[in-house]
Amino acid sequence: MNKKVALITLGCKLNYAETSTYERGLVKAGCEAVSWTETGIDLFLVNTCSVTEHSDKKSRNIIRKLHRTAPQAAIVVTGCSAQLRREAIEAIDGVAKVFGAAQKNEVVPYCLALLRLGAAKSGAAGAKQGKAEQQDAEAGGQLDNDFFGAYSSGERTRSFLKVQDGCDYKCHYCTVPYARGESRNAPIHYIISQAEAIAAEGIKEIVITGVNTGDFGKSTGESFLDLLKALDKVSGIERYRISSIEPNLLTEEIVDWIARGSKVLPHFHIPLQSGCDTILSAMGRRYTTADFAAKIAYIRKRLEKEGRQKVFFGIDVIVGFPGETDEMFRTTYDFLANTIKPAFIHIFPYSRRPGTPAAERRDQIQDSVKTARVEALEALCEKLHNEFILANKGKESKVLFELKSKSGAAEGWSENYIRVSVPYEEGIINEIRKVTL
């Protein structure tokens, strides 16, 4: 099939893994994946984001821009904004089809049918042919349920592997449960087969991804620790990072297993959202600041043995949640600065999302106040990150070198996610070498 397709991803690494899987399916069926700026494109596939109001608008604006750039091309849309804002997206000129959260297994078959038979014939018969082509192309190892298995490829050193989707928590500010559905996952044996496929590409590091990653096993009766133990045995994969995990689901049992010498790296992305218990309760979160502090302290105790590198903690924080007073924000600031001291803070100004309990509150915070609080935490983040780098100086770590920089140096990431540069030498890329930080 001599057709040009361009795939555009907005939002998170989970979307990136899914887009990469769509691309593999299309390419294996004979399509050519190209940049959206090229001429003669036959189809655009857009994977949208809806985490904030800005994300929704950006998704729609990009779709309109693609149609203006190449009006002859069909546009197929999937992702979170496609689920939550279907009617608005379907009304955009050039959009051929919109796929929601439970329809991701249908995306590649539809695109192949559209490309082969044309829009007029992309109904049941065309979709059936496209599905057969997708199966022939082994587009992503899709399952019988609505879990869409996915992993990223194309990078030489690292892959994002989707192990879980959806969320049952329904925090009061979040639309993700509505955009991605209930918590569900593939069985461990299926995830292992994908990890083995990643290893066969020569990739040495996997980032374990999901919407609520630690909730893995809810739909299969397994556990996240079961998954980690199975992944640890995959030959060829030497390192794993856990992309994001709720603090209540990162159990002491998991931490103890990691500490005994697994391939899981000392790098954790954990959402806090607020350092004030009043706001945590109003958000519908499932822990207190005392719980969170105790979990961080336990991880440090088990993994930061004398002389070893420090654990990297990336912490999510939302500022300007309805009802957050200056005093409450200061409580969050002090909790981060004096108790948690993370290596990095991922800062998000609260975005009012229709259909969520928080959106109905009358005590919304002015944008100017949110901006000032973001700036305060950004300054704190820079200070804490510099302190983290200094605290690791002189300690040994294994670095996976990923690329040759414009300056000619070899660059990569340490086990605890510190960027490292060394003089470039032939063969160093995709090699793991011990260095002194």
Side-chain angles (χ1 to χ4, degrees):
M1 184 188 298
N2 186 24
K3 299 289 185 178
K4 288 185 178 181
V5 297
L7 298 91
I8 296 90
T9 306
L10 297 98
C12 64
K13 296 300 184 183
L14 204 56
N15 272 9
Y16 175 62
E18 290 171 347
T19 299
S20 188
T21 302
Y22 296 141
E23 181 176 317
R24 283 196 305 277
L26 293 168
V27 169
K28 288 179 180 178
C31 298
E32 179 186 2
V34 300
S35 167
W36 70 271
T37 59
E38 284 203 21
T39 59
I41 291 174
D42 298 288
L43 181 141
F44 292 109
L45 176 54
V46 185
N47 199 349
T48 60
C49 177
S50 186
V51 70
T52 65
E53 182 182 4
H54 175 74
S55 301
D56 274 324
K57 289 181 179 178
K58 184 177 181 181
S59 296
R60 293 193 295 271
N61 288 339
I62 284 178
I63 294 167
R64 293 187 184 100
K65 182 176 182 178
L66 294 175
H67 182 60
R68 291 195 302 269
T69 301
Q72 81 287 346
I75 302 175
V76 175
V77 185
T78 185
C80 291
S81 193
Q83 173 70 23
L84 296 177
R85 307 286 179 264
R86 177 186 289 269
E87 290 185 3
I89 292 174
E90 286 177 336
I92 300 174
D93 288 344
V95 172
K97 186 77 171 179
V98 176
F99 289 94
Q103 302 170 302
K104 294 178 182 179
N105 289 318
E106 302 172 26
V107 171
V108 170
Y110 177 85
C111 289
L112 292 174
L114 193 65
L115 290 167
R116 180 172 292 281
L117 301 178
K121 298 182 180 180
S122 60
K128 183 177 180 180
Q129 180 174 344
K131 187 171 184 178
E133 290 179 352
Q134 180 203 27
Q135 291 170 343
D136 290 343
E138 195 268 311
Q142 274 59 329
L143 303 170
D144 292 335
N145 60 25
D146 67 355
F147 182 87
F148 179 73
Y151 64 87
S152 66
S153 53
E155 296 184 56
R156 294 179 62 182
T157 59
R158 177 186 298 135
S159 176
F160 295 89
L161 172 60
K162 175 183 172 184
V163 303
Q164 184 274 342
D165 203 349
C167 185
D168 297 337
Y169 278 13
K170 293 184 172 60
C171 297
H172 294 177
Y173 52 83
C174 186
T175 58
V176 169
Y178 313 108
R180 284 192 168 265
E182 296 180 346
S183 179
R184 59 201 185 279
N185 59 273
I188 288 177
H189 69 82
Y190 172 84
I191 300 296
I192 295 305
S193 69
Q194 294 205 309
E196 291 171 343
I198 293 169
E201 295 182 15
I203 294 171
K204 294 183 178 178
E205 181 175 299
I206 285 176
V207 182
I208 302 167
T209 63
V211 173
N212 190 354
T213 310
D215 206 34
F216 177 91
K218 178 164 286 189
S219 56
T220 57
E222 298 161 314
S223 74
F224 188 54
L225 181 55
D226 293 335
L227 173 65
L228 291 178
K229 289 179 177 179
L231 286 171
D232 204 58
K233 298 175 183 177
V234 175
S235 178
I237 303 299
E238 300 186 33
R239 297 153 54 119
Y240 292 96
R241 298 186 193 272
I242 301 172
S243 64
S244 181
I245 185 168
E246 291 287 316
N248 54 302
L249 297 177
L250 183 54
T251 65
E252 291 187 359
E253 185 182 14
I254 292 174
V255 175
D256 291 343
W257 177 79
I258 293 172
R260 286 194 290 269
S262 74
K263 296 177 182 178
V264 178
L265 301 179
H267 172 198
F268 298 95
H269 180 183
I270 308 176
L272 168 64
Q273 309 305 16
S274 176
C276 172
D277 285 329
T278 301
I279 296 297
L280 283 178
S281 178
M283 287 177 165
R285 301 295 286 167
R286 301 189 174 201
Y287 51 85
T288 65
T289 54
D291 297 331
F292 194 93
K295 185 61 58 70
I296 298 298
Y298 187 81
I299 295 170
R300 283 179 168 142
K301 177 183 176 182
R302 295 293 287 120
L303 298 183
E304 291 184 355
K305 303 298 184 182
E306 186 174 350
R308 291 180 61 180
Q309 59 195 313
K310 302 294 184 181
V311 176
F312 184 104
F313 290 104
I315 305 297
D316 290 349
V317 177
I318 296 172
V319 301
F321 186 82
E324 184 186 58
T325 64
D326 288 341
E327 183 180 1
M328 291 173 182
F329 172 71
R330 174 52 61 176
T331 299
T332 292
Y333 185 99
D334 291 343
F335 183 67
L336 291 165
N338 302 321
T339 303
I340 302 303
K341 299 179 180 178
F344 193 83
I345 309 171
H346 302 266
I347 310 156
F348 305 91
Y350 167 74
S351 179
R352 197 172 186 174
R353 309 305 291 134
T356 62
E360 304 303 318
R361 293 183 55 160
R362 297 181 179 180
D363 49 355
Q364 302 291 324
I365 306 299
Q366 292 181 348
D367 287 344
S368 60
V369 174
K370 295 179 191 176
T371 299
R373 292 175 183 175
V374 167
E375 290 174 352
L377 286 187
E378 285 176 343
L380 176 61
C381 176
E382 183 177 1
K383 175 178 179 291
L384 291 172
H385 187 68
N386 289 337
E387 290 176 356
F388 177 74
I389 299 296
L390 187 60
N392 281 279
K393 190 173 182 179
K395 300 185 183 300
E396 284 192 341
S397 183
K398 294 178 181 178
V399 175
L400 174 59
F401 288 97
E402 300 186 3
L403 56 88
K404 184 178 182 180
S405 69
K406 292 180 180 179
S407 65
E411 295 188 351
W413 296 98
S414 68
E415 293 162 292
N416 61 343
Y417 211 59
I418 293 175
R419 193 76 176 181
V420 175
S421 295
V422 300
Y424 177 81
E425 60 181 85
E426 199 66 34
I428 195 173
I429 303 304
N430 203 29
E431 288 294 317
I432 296 175
R433 300 191 182 184
K434 186 177 289 187
V435 302
T436 299
L437 299 174

